[in-house]
Amino acid sequence: MTMKLRLPGRPEELTIPALLARNAAEHGDLPALSWREGDGWTTLDWTEVRRKVAVLASGYAALGIERGEHVLIMMGNRPEHWLTDLALVHLGAVPVTVYGTSAPEQTAHIARHSRARVAVLEGAGELARWEPLLADERVPLERLVVAEAAEAGPHRTYGSLHASGARTHRPEDFEKAWRETRPEDPLTVVYTSGTTGDPKGVRLTHRNIMLQAVRIDGRADLPEHAEHICYLPFAHIAERILGIYLPLLRAAHVRLVADPAAVGAAVRELHPVQFFGVPRVWEKLAASVRAVLAQLPAAQRESIEAANDLARARAGHRERGERIPAALEASYARAKEQVLDPLLGLAGLDRLVWTASATAPMPIDVVRFWAGWGITIMDAWGLTETSGVCTINSPDGFRLGSVGRPIEGLELRLAEDGEILTRGATVFAGYLRPDGSVESAHDAEGWFPTGDVGRLDEDGFLWLTDRKKELIITSNGKNVSPALVENTVKEHPLIGQALVHGDGRSYLVALLVLDGEVAPPWAAARGIEAGPLDRLAEHPAVRAEIAAAVDAANARLNRTEQIKRYRLLTEEWGPATGELTPSLKLRRRVVREKYGALIHALYDDPYEEPHDPYADPYADPHADPHEEPRRTGPE
């Protein structure tokens, strides 16, 4: 923590209301929350934030919200959402944010399971999904509050609730209510985004979250009062930590971006010092940069590539914990000032000192790409059930491609099958039951099975290999990590997304998605006439390049992992069409069902390996070609 902030108690004793009280008393004039209005930003300082939270808490109390009660929220990243969340916490209620992209059946499940009587919504789009639940006898929902007054219809508006709070607010009642909050009380329930089955309710306490925030803060070296661009949904544990709880701990400044598609514009305007993106965000940013570079003259590209090489060499020394040679440091400083920073500045990325990613394995080529620009992405790993981060890379210790080392106070061990087990004070107590009780998810010794598979190296860094439930077991009994194969083939910029299939089969096939941002400029640079993606996908040059990309990936994989057949698609997968979760994780079951006919067609004709006249006729056809051959006879 770079700011010397007084903690109002030991880390394990902290609560969110205690931090807000400290911020208002000791850092009240610092900007706390900003959002776009018209052409500019509207900002509240910490004193104003606490005043508004107190008024809103009174408004929700007048609505009948009680301690321990769940309240559902479906809004974008707007001030009404952020302030409502804190107001409910000060009453002792439990805010539960629901993804705006949730399917109707998921929304209905959460409404039933949480037993919430009130939902706070953004506008007409959300009302259309929630109003039918008011008439559903299986759903306890009684009332809707709507932020957009003009779209509220007969329902209570956020503005009227705020006005009611202003009339009924009694400071002594507000202070008494939040002081009754204990560290072991529930702070929020986060419903998993559901790659399979119904979302599960993960109940997290003030203690879980506060210890998580303190420990992450100890790993990040940030300037005082660093701004955070908040654009991921608050239903995502990462944004709850980074966009609500850590700023409260740091008395920092949150910039709300209501439309995730506008995050690029916000970065270009604000030139942040920190930025968090899930792997897909970093992949898309890298693809955009590569597309621009492809249009530059050869001489300029060579200059940039030379600067990239210097940056990667410097990152390599840091990664190994070595002293950076003076000549390299001087050359890099010149390249950064003259080549890299001017280009990064066009995208607003020139002031970054801390960049991070989590939620899924980061493709190593993307990590290396950004290292070439002097941007070291501190990859992390964790789950909703672990209050976010379990392991994290940090400037004083990182391995590119790994997800770092465990945070303070968290234990890791690997089961016999490689599954990662964890325990510690930041791990949740269990999943919420429909009756409000909690079902433990730990074994008798307190270990929580994460479902992720990985390995620990000799320096204690964790390397993810796959999700346990997603491992492919071929008909030959070989285990294959689909994420490894997918990330390898996605290293080619023309391939934006991939799904590998082969469970119970003798070989792997893949669905590959042509990157819609990279393909047009790639084609233009080669004199190929621009046109729709489906037409580009049929062009012989594009088909040949994709075939070469698959061959290049296969050359780095063992025979069992190699893609034998594939189909190139042109429609990007996303949450709106169901192939990705709202947190941008691949829903494999959905993709397999949606494209089942295409996948089966790839297996219609038996696959035969091309004849290799130099192949060893006695070799194991499923052996790893990168391993030394096993000899059974005499030398």
Side-chain angles (χ1 to χ4, degrees), residues 132-197:
L133 298 178
L134 292 172
D136 189 332
E137 294 181 354
R138 301 168 299 169
V139 177
L141 197 63
E142 299 173 0
R143 179 169 291 183
L144 305 178
V145 177
V146 183
E148 294 289 348
E151 301 174 6
H155 304 288
R156 186 71 180 270
T157 67
Y158 174 91
S160 69
L161 186 141
H162 188 278
S164 170
R167 291 193 301 271
T168 61
H169 177 60
R170 289 166 51 88
E172 60 273 22
D173 291 342
F174 172 73
E175 299 294 336
K176 179 178 183 296
W178 79 257
R179 291 183 186 280
E180 292 176 358
T181 300
R182 298 292 176 260
E184 61 271 18
D185 289 343
L187 171 60
T188 187
V189 171
V190 179
Y191 278 86
T192 59
S193 55
T195 54
T196 59

Side-chain angles (χ1 to χ4, degrees), residues 45-383:
D45 63 27
W46 282 109
T47 297
E48 294 166 324
V49 162
R50 192 166 192 267
R51 187 180 302 125
K52 282 190 174 290
V53 165
V55 168
L56 275 174
S58 299
Y60 282 110
L63 200 63
I65 301 299
E66 299 177 350
R67 177 171 292 276
E69 183 173 358
H70 297 145
V71 178
L72 302 174
I73 306 173
M74 184 182 275
M75 287 191 279
N77 293 18
R78 50 191 293 163
E80 297 93 338
H81 192 159
W82 200 86
L83 294 167
T84 286
D85 201 290
L86 291 181
L88 293 170
V89 168
H90 279 71
L91 288 177
V94 184
V96 182
T97 298
V98 183
Y99 282 108
T101 53
S102 295
E105 59 270 20
Q106 291 175 321
T107 301
H109 167 76
I110 293 171
R112 285 193 303 271
H113 189 269
S114 66
R115 300 168 294 111
R117 295 184 301 115
V118 176
V120 187
L121 312 177
E122 183 159 332
E126 292 72 29
L127 273 174
R129 284 182 280 171
W130 287 83
E131 281 183 321
L133 298 178
L134 292 172
D136 189 332
E137 294 181 354
R138 301 168 299 169
V139 177
L141 197 63
E142 299 173 0
R143 179 169 291 183
L144 305 178
V145 177
V146 183
E148 294 289 348
E151 301 174 6
H155 304 288
R156 186 71 180 270
T157 67
Y158 174 91
S160 69
L161 186 141
H162 188 278
S164 170
R167 291 193 301 271
T168 61
H169 177 60
R170 289 166 51 88
E172 60 273 22
D173 291 342
F174 172 73
E175 299 294 336
K176 179 178 183 296
W178 79 257
R179 291 183 186 280
E180 292 176 358
T181 300
R182 298 292 176 260
E184 61 271 18
D185 289 343
L187 171 60
T188 187
V189 171
V190 179
Y191 278 86
T192 59
S193 55
T195 54
T196 59
D198 288 328
K200 294 181 179 180
V202 177
R203 195 181 79 165
L204 299 170
T205 66
H206 287 260
R207 179 173 289 130
N208 290 147
I209 294 296
M210 288 293 88
L211 287 174
Q212 171 78 196
V214 168
R215 290 165 183 176
I216 292 177
D217 191 54
R219 293 287 192 94
D221 186 16
L222 286 170
E224 290 188 3
H225 202 62
E227 291 184 337
H228 170 66
I229 296 179
C230 175
Y231 69 99
L232 292 172
F234 285 124
H236 194 308
I237 185 60
E239 195 62 275
R240 294 198 74 79
I241 295 290
L242 297 173
I244 303 177
Y245 307 133
L246 261 176
L248 277 158
L249 177 68
R250 293 171 169 161
H253 185 191
V254 177
R255 296 267 190 175
L256 296 175
V257 177
D259 179 6
V263 67
V267 170
R268 286 192 295 273
E269 176 189 357
L270 299 172
H271 295 255
V273 296
Q274 64 170 331
F275 186 75
F276 175 88
V278 296
R280 186 61 183 147
V281 170
W282 287 111
E283 289 174 13
K284 296 291 281 183
L285 286 171
S288 298
V289 174
R290 284 170 170 148
V292 172
L293 294 178
Q295 305 300 307
L296 297 177
Q300 189 174 359
R301 287 201 307 272
E302 289 174 4
S303 174
I304 294 169
E305 288 166 4
N308 294 156
D309 289 342
L310 289 170
R312 275 188 282 268
R314 181 178 183 273
H317 284 286
R318 292 182 60 212
E319 185 178 10
R320 295 185 295 270
E322 300 170 351
R323 180 177 174 275
I324 301 170
L328 173 60
E329 188 67 61
S331 297
Y332 169 73
R334 286 193 299 272
K336 176 176 167 58
E337 179 182 1
Q338 297 171 11
V339 179
L340 299 180
D341 280 353
L343 293 171
L344 288 172
L346 298 176
L349 302 175
D350 53 317
R351 296 178 60 233
L352 289 173
V353 297
W354 186 81
T355 50
S357 183
T359 77
M362 175 76 88
I364 186 61
D365 75 304
V366 177
V367 177
R368 297 289 182 192
F369 174 84
W370 287 112
W373 291 84
I375 295 174
T376 306
I377 299 173
M378 297 299 171
D379 209 358
W381 167 76
L383 300 88

Side-chain angles (χ1 to χ4, degrees), residues 561-576:
E561 296 167 338
Q562 291 171 356
I563 298 168
K564 306 304 184 185
R565 288 183 172 147
Y566 62 89
R567 180 67 177 264
L568 185 61
L569 309 177
T570 56
E571 295 294 328
E572 186 175 22
W573 300 331

Side-chain angles (χ1 to χ4, degrees), residues 371-580:
W373 291 84
I375 295 174
T376 306
I377 299 173
M378 297 299 171
D379 209 358
W381 167 76
L383 300 88
T384 304
E385 291 88 341
T386 60
S387 308
V389 165
C390 289
T391 63
I392 189 170
N393 284 286
S394 59
D396 60 353
F398 66 91
R399 295 289 184 275
L400 297 181
S402 83
V403 290
R405 292 185 284 206
I407 62 172
E408 179 188 353
L410 194 83
E411 296 179 83
L412 291 184
R413 73 178 177 88
L414 301 182
E416 290 185 3
D417 60 0
E419 182 176 9
I420 307 164
L421 311 179
T422 185
R423 67 181 178 186
T426 54
V427 181
F428 79 141
Y431 294 107
L432 188 70
R433 293 190 179 106
D435 65 1
S437 62
V438 170
E439 178 183 0
S440 175
H442 306 77
D443 67 14
E445 296 179 345
W447 292 100
F448 171 66
T450 66
D452 283 321
V453 177
R455 64 179 177 86
L456 288 164
D457 68 18
E458 62 276 10
D459 295 319
F461 288 88
L462 180 66
W463 301 75
L464 297 184
T465 55
D466 218 322
R467 291 287 297 169
K468 182 177 179 179
K469 294 180 180 178
E470 293 174 355
L471 282 175
I472 292 171
I473 303 178
T474 68
S475 61
N476 305 308
K478 302 289 185 177
N479 287 356
V480 177
S481 162
L484 168 67
V485 180
E486 290 156 1
N487 284 340
T488 302
V489 76
K490 284 195 304 179
E491 289 186 13
H492 195 289
L494 277 181
I495 301 174
Q497 294 169 303
L499 176 131
V500 170
H501 179 79
D503 208 42
R505 299 282 193 166
S506 59
Y507 60 88
L508 302 188
V509 299
L511 299 176
L512 309 177
V513 182
L514 192 64
D515 193 298
E517 293 184 8
V518 174
W522 183 93
R526 288 154 181 80
I528 300 172
E529 183 180 352
L533 279 184
D534 55 353
R535 190 188 305 167
L536 277 179
E538 295 299 321
H539 194 282
V542 174
R543 295 170 66 87
E545 188 71 15
I546 295 296
V550 174
D551 288 345
N554 283 343
R556 297 167 52 197
L557 299 166
N558 69 45
R559 186 166 297 183
T560 304
E561 296 167 338
Q562 291 171 356
I563 298 168
K564 306 304 184 185
R565 288 183 172 147
Y566 62 89
R567 180 67 177 264
L568 185 61
L569 309 177
T570 56
E571 295 294 328
E572 186 175 22
W573 300 331
T577 47
E579 301 91 354
L580 303 186

